Amino acid sequence: MKDLSLHIMDIIQNSVRAEASNVELEIREDLEKDIYSIFIKDDGCGMSDEVLSKVLDPFFTTRTTRKVGLGLSLLKQSAEQTGGKLEIHSKEGVGTELQVLFSHKNIDRPVIGDIAGVIVLLVSANPNMDFIYKHHTIKGEYIFDTKEVKEILEDVSVTDPNIMQYLKELINENLNTII
């Protein structure tokens, strides 16, 4: 995967398959501590200890459509190439938490990519789910919460193309103030 937003989409698609109702994504950029972190939490079905022990193996997947599950193992490799790490915790019936740490300044850290586009795509493809996206930098914090968005939109769907375009612009404009 070329950028971190695609990894994030892949991981959150796992949350969708795990029938999560709520997904939280938090990105923290700390240049002073040289840390770029991604934290994802869902309230999906979670994983058994057996599945959790195999989830980073590229030749393991719970999906029936293919025989390999490269997403998490590739993300782990990307993090480790920068001196970082990937940790995953899960409990059946509770959900899953994933944290990925990168060296912020390392040249091997993938760029974030089109995170606004990914967030809007996930929201519009899963209108019955709730998403919270937080992004922290030294310049400030931005929070995008679909519960707030849906409340403001009232009867207008987040799947409306005009709303999708507006949300992408909204996210990008707010990110530009803190990045």
Side-chain angles (χ1 to χ4, degrees):
M1 289 184 215
K2 294 183 178 185
D3 60 55
L4 294 174
S5 69
L6 297 177
H7 281 289
I8 289 167
M9 183 166 55
D10 181 59
I11 293 164
I12 294 178
Q13 284 296 97
N14 291 339
S15 299
V16 171
R17 282 190 292 281
E19 300 179 354
S21 298
N22 300 286
V23 175
E24 295 177 34
L25 164 63
E26 185 172 354
I27 298 174
R28 289 189 170 272
E29 297 184 52
D30 190 332
L31 283 167
E32 292 175 0
K33 294 181 182 174
D34 190 29
I35 295 174
Y36 192 103
S37 68
I38 299 170
F39 178 77
I40 300 173
K41 177 181 177 181
D42 72 42
D43 65 353
C45 64
M47 292 180 270
S48 68
D49 290 339
E50 180 184 354
V51 171
L52 186 60
S53 70
K54 298 176 185 175
V55 77
L56 295 174
D57 179 344
F59 301 105
F60 173 79
T61 185
T62 58
R63 293 175 67 178
T64 57
T65 55
R66 61 179 185 221
K67 297 182 186 214
V68 294
L70 295 173
L72 287 172
S73 60
L74 288 174
L75 182 58
K76 179 179 186 261
Q77 180 182 13
S78 289
E80 289 174 347
Q81 284 178 330
T82 72
K85 63 182 178 178
L86 182 147
E87 294 179 351
I88 187 165
H89 305 280
S90 189
K91 186 170 173 90
E92 280 186 291
V94 176
T96 302
E97 294 181 2
L98 176 123
Q99 182 170 23
V100 190
L101 299 174
F102 295 88
S103 164
H104 196 294
K105 299 173 188 168
N106 192 294
I107 194 168
D108 289 326
R109 179 182 56 85
V111 297
I112 188 62
D114 184 13
I115 190 65
V118 164
I119 297 298
V120 170
L121 181 62
L122 288 165
V123 168
S124 64
N126 305 283
N128 295 325
M129 289 178 68
D130 288 312
F131 296 88
I132 296 175
Y133 164 46
K134 299 177 185 177
H135 201 121
H136 308 269
T137 70
I138 196 164
K139 292 182 181 178
E141 173 184 69
Y142 172 62
I143 300 173
F144 174 82
D145 186 336
T146 57
K147 286 181 184 178
E148 292 176 5
V149 169
K150 291 173 186 176
E151 187 176 302
I152 292 167
L153 291 175
E154 295 178 350
D155 295 332
V156 180
S157 175
V158 293
T159 63
D160 180 294
N162 293 322
I163 298 299
M164 292 170 60
Q165 182 62 35
Y166 171 76
L167 292 176
K168 183 174 180 179
E169 290 171 4
L170 174 75
I171 294 169
N172 278 325
E173 286 174 14
N174 281 282
L175 288 177
N176 286 336
T177 66
I178 63 166
I179 295 180

